[in-house]
Amino acid sequence: MEKQIRVIEVKRSIFEHNDLDADRLRGELKEKNIFLLNLMSSPGSGKTTTLLALAKALNGRVKLGVMEADIDSAVDAQKMAEAGIRTIQIHTGGMCHLDADMTRQGLYEFGMDGAEVIVLENVGNLVCPAEFDTGAVKNMTILSVPEGDDKPLKYPLMYETCDLLVINKIDVLPYFDFDVKRASDYARQRNPDIDILTVSAKTGEGIDALADWIVAEAKAWMKQG
């Protein structure tokens, strides 16, 4: 007689536990009137450069903080600090993503008093970060022109989970076979409700519109009962 083997769905259990913890974290953020934005993208898309430009556009409008997540090093956090932006570095210990509890640890080390908008720059990766709810209020992804306009087809979950797609490096559009409309259409195939903005973090084009989006979303979050 064949022996019955108990099978445990570990992956499902991990995700379910994290989702509940993420909801609890959003409750904690609501109590403190903090808007947490989870920023995800592949390496080299321009996350840090976009944040530096965004900090200037948000100056005087909201109290901004940035949490930098990396497997190792503090290069990005150093850039933020040199620009006068309140920041903290999170090392993931080799993990390719942050989950809700890791985000909470970072927030409490960062110190949430006095902050209004905190941007979590997640680990550069189009797969793992999209799988884990960090407890953020909104999710944003950056797609840079050199990466190609087909990324929403290749990495669907990233675009399904994000509220905003920022197409970056539009200043180099003449040099790449990248169609903004095609990329936008692909993203909306995955997520009809996704907002899409085009920017150049290098020249500053579109950064004010991105700042307006963040301020509007933060105000809406803080007004919720």
Side-chain angles (χ1 to χ4, degrees):
M1 183 175 178
E2 186 176 339
K3 186 176 181 179
Q4 291 290 328
I5 303 297
R6 186 182 178 194
V7 178
I8 304 172
E9 297 290 345
V10 176
K11 187 174 182 181
R12 179 180 176 185
S13 175
I14 290 172
F15 286 155
E16 288 178 350
H17 175 78
N18 183 70
D19 288 346
L20 291 173
D21 196 26
D23 285 338
R24 286 192 292 269
L25 179 53
R26 270 184 287 273
E28 296 170 35
L29 292 167
K30 189 70 193 70
E31 289 177 0
K32 294 180 178 294
N33 270 333
I34 292 175
F35 178 80
L36 177 63
L37 177 65
N38 179 31
L39 171 56
M40 301 177 283
S41 77
S42 60
S45 66
K47 291 191 297 297
T48 303
T49 306
T50 300
L51 284 177
L52 289 169
L54 188 58
K56 293 180 180 179
L58 289 171
N59 188 33
R61 301 182 68 182
V62 297
K63 295 177 182 177
L64 177 69
V66 175
M67 298 199 305
E68 296 284 355
D70 279 301
I71 292 174
D72 202 356
S73 91
V75 174
D76 292 338
Q78 186 63 39
K79 290 179 181 177
M80 293 293 158
E82 289 173 355
I85 303 165
R86 184 180 169 194
T87 188
I88 190 173
Q89 182 73 53
I90 302 172
H91 284 164
T92 64
M95 297 183 71
C96 59
H97 67 275
L98 289 181
D99 60 20
D101 187 57
M102 294 162 71
T103 302
R104 178 185 286 104
Q105 292 178 52
L107 284 166
Y108 277 88
E109 286 295 324
F110 178 82
M112 291 188 278
D113 292 337
E116 293 176 327
V117 173
I118 299 176
V119 180
L120 169 62
E121 184 178 336
N122 216 313
V123 179
N125 189 323
L126 286 177
V127 181
C128 304
E131 294 182 330
F132 287 84
D133 189 341
T134 61
V137 181
K138 295 290 181 178
N139 293 312
M140 164 183 161
T141 187
I142 295 178
L143 170 61
S144 66
V145 167
E147 294 176 76
D149 53 28
D150 59 354
K151 288 298 177 291
L153 298 181
K154 293 183 176 182
Y155 302 94
L157 185 60
M158 176 59 70
Y159 299 87
E160 291 167 5
T161 59
C162 281
D163 304 282
L164 175 65
L165 163 61
V166 174
I167 298 175
N168 187 27
K169 304 186 183 180
I170 58 172
D171 52 299
V172 299
L173 275 170
Y175 309 104
F176 289 89
D177 183 19
F178 186 103
D179 188 312
V180 172
K181 183 181 183 304
R182 187 163 57 215
S184 300
D185 288 345
Y186 288 157
R188 290 197 169 107
Q189 285 178 25
R190 301 302 188 184
N191 181 357
D193 297 322
I194 196 169
D195 291 330
I196 301 174
L197 296 173
T198 57
V199 308
S200 168
K202 183 177 180 179
T203 68
E205 183 178 355
I207 294 297
D208 285 339
L210 175 56
D212 289 343
W213 186 93
I214 291 173
V215 169
E217 293 294 334
K219 286 182 177 178
W221 166 250
M222 293 173 187
K223 286 179 180 178
Q224 289 182 16

